[in-house]
């Protein structure tokens, strides 16, 4: 199968014009075969390259057999918040749908609306997959949900500790965090799991509450790590931090020693 791999830079070249415009040039393709496309969509330039790819493939009547999306821009803007702001996920989904892929795999979509808006799409839950691998190494590991979103995503029955944010009922202002264990976790190893870490504020805020439970170790696992500063913040308060390269190639960054990066291409999680 032919592959156009935007993750590892295979099957194409990008020409950068003096005005900053990008121009996609594909390597020669066999029009009788379908293609596999791997990409991450983290910014407008990467979205525009997909638009150009769609134009090229349609002109040559080449089908996309599989589209793997490592990170989907706009997945946190999954609804129309008000009439003066865009429905970003819908815009991105329209571009993805223009490729007419037979099957679309989205790694750890933040919202189920991603699967509803993007045709023939399926979720590949990397966080849950990596969690299973970590449990093989430490069968006594106990799972922690950082908030209600994580509970809904991964199901309450799997969590020994469930956390939530404490807000002022009158103003809605965030006042702190709460960690509620279903059993005594003193001396046990805890693993907080979620799909995304941006600035890291929620995980940092939870750390003292979890430490009050007197665990043996306290680790964090997220699929999408967005900001280096956020990774550094959580690494300072957790014993171990596990992330993946869905959002960017973290091997090119200098990260704290207690951060482990899983490469998606080596996980075979589809």
């Amino acid at each position: 199968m032919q592959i156009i791999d935007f993750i590892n830079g295979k099957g194409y070249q990008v020409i950068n014009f003096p005005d900053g415009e990008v121009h996609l040039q594909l390597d020669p393709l066999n029009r009788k075969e379908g293609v596999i496309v791997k990409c991450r969509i983290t910014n407008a330039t990467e979205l525009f390259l997909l638009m150009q790819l769609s134009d090229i493939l349609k002109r040559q009547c080449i089908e996309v057999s599989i589209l793997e999306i490592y990170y989907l821009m706009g997945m946190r803007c999954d609804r129309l918040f008000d009439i003066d702001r865009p429905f970003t996920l819908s815009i991105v989904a329209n571009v993805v749908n223009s490729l007419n892929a037979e099957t679309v795999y989205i790694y750890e979509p933040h919202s189920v609306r991603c699967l509803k808006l993007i045709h023939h799409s399926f979720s590949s839950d990397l966080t849950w997959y990596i969690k299973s691998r970590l449990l093989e190494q430490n069968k006594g590991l106990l799972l922690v949900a950082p908030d209600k979103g994580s509970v809904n995503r991964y199901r309450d029955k799997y969590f020994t500790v469930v956390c939530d944010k404490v807000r002022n009922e009158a103003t809605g202002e965030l006042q702190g965090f709460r960690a509620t264990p279903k059993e005594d976790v003193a001396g046990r190893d805890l693993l907080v799991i979620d799909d995304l870490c941006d600035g890291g504020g929620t995980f940092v805020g939870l750390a003292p509450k979890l430490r009050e439970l007197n665990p043996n170790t306290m680790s964090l696992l997220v699929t999408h790590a967005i900001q280096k500063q956020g990774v550094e913040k959580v690494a300072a308060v957790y014993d171990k931090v596990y992330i993946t390269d869905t959002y960017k190639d973290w091997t090119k960054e200098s990260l704290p020693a207690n951060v482990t990066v899983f490469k998606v291409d080596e996980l075979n999680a589809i």
Side-chain angles (χ1 to χ4, degrees), residues 108 125-128 149-159 193-196 223:
E108 204 70 37
D125 297 321
L126 281 179
T127 301
W128 204 247
S150 186
V151 169
N152 294 333
R153 184 175 298 109
Y154 305 114
R155 300 182 186 179
D156 176 70
K157 66 179 182 179
Y158 295 109
F159 294 108
I193 69 170
D194 209 354
D195 67 319
L196 188 148
T223 291

Side-chain angles (χ1 to χ4, degrees), residues 95-247:
V95 173
V96 173
N97 289 334
S98 72
L99 288 162
N100 294 318
E102 294 180 7
T103 305
V104 180
Y105 292 108
I106 306 173
Y107 288 106
E108 204 70 37
H110 185 69
S111 168
V112 294
R113 291 185 177 90
C114 299
L115 305 180
K116 294 179 179 179
L117 289 171
I118 294 178
H119 304 159
H120 314 297
S121 62
F122 299 88
S123 168
S124 182
D125 297 321
L126 281 179
T127 301
W128 204 247
Y129 179 80
I130 296 170
K131 175 271 309 177
S132 299
R133 293 182 57 160
L134 295 177
L135 278 172
E136 291 176 1
Q137 301 170 16
N138 182 355
K139 298 187 184 301
L141 205 58
L142 301 180
L143 301 185
V144 179
D147 55 27
K148 292 181 180 179
S150 186
V151 169
N152 294 333
R153 184 175 298 109
Y154 305 114
R155 300 182 186 179
D156 176 70
K157 66 179 182 179
Y158 295 109
F159 294 108
T160 303
V161 182
V162 176
C163 305
D164 61 339
K165 297 175 181 177
V166 180
R167 296 185 181 277
N168 183 302
E169 293 184 2
T171 65
E173 181 181 355
L174 180 63
Q175 294 182 322
F177 299 86
R178 177 169 47 221
T180 306
K182 297 179 180 178
E183 60 184 71
D184 185 9
V185 300
R188 306 291 298 277
D189 297 318
L190 301 182
L191 178 67
V192 181
I193 69 170
D194 209 354
D195 67 319
L196 188 148
C197 176
D198 200 339
T202 295
F203 304 115
V204 171
L206 281 176
K209 292 298 180 182
L210 293 175
R211 291 290 183 194
E212 290 176 4
L213 302 178
N214 297 313
N216 178 43
T217 63
M218 194 173 71
S219 302
L220 172 67
L221 163 63
V222 291
T223 291
H224 306 303
I226 310 301
Q227 299 183 45
K228 180 180 179 181
Q229 185 179 30
V231 174
E232 292 172 336
K233 285 181 179 180
V234 295
V237 294
Y238 286 84
D239 298 299
K240 294 181 180 179
V241 175
Y242 303 96
I243 63 176
T244 79
D245 64 347
T246 52
Y247 186 80

Side-chain angles (χ1 to χ4, degrees), residues 35-52:
V35 297
I36 295 174
V37 178
K38 295 185 177 186
C39 68
R40 55 170 66 96
I41 312 172
T42 67
N43 55 55
T45 296
E46 291 174 342
L47 186 66
F48 186 53
L49 286 173
L50 275 190
M51 295 169 68
Q52 293 183 334

